[in-house]
Amino acid sequence: MNRIKEVLDEKGIKQIWLAEKIGKSYNMVNGYVQNRRQPSLELLNEIAKILDVDVKDLIQSSTNKDVK
């Protein structure tokens, strides 16, 4: 599971903006945001750099869903 949606919301950033920055389609980014698909570790690192957060802030443990 990832926290891309939460970080985008916290920063007031639109999915379409992120899609343009990483060179992916809106539908692909929406899949990441809705946790229907997961980005590669390389792409997750790129997203973290673009959003100016630690990559750990984009990852949520599947065993500790309620822990942030």
Side-chain angles (χ1 to χ4, degrees), residues 1 15 19 40 45 63:
M1 303 267 308
Q15 293 177 40
S40 67
N45 277 309
T63 58

Side-chain angles (χ1 to χ4, degrees), residues 1 6 11 15-16 18 20-23 26 32-33 36 42-44 46-47 49 51-52 54-55 60-61 65-67:
M1 303 267 308
E6 289 88 349
K11 294 185 170 278
Q15 293 177 40
I16 191 74
L18 181 59
E20 290 172 1
K21 290 290 184 185
I22 63 174
Y26 170 82
Y32 300 151
V33 168
R36 290 188 308 263
E42 182 180 321
L43 183 56
L44 198 62
E46 184 179 344
I47 292 169
K49 285 180 188 175
L51 297 178
D52 194 30
D54 191 294
V55 71
Q60 178 177 335
S61 170
K65 292 181 181 176
D66 296 327
V67 177

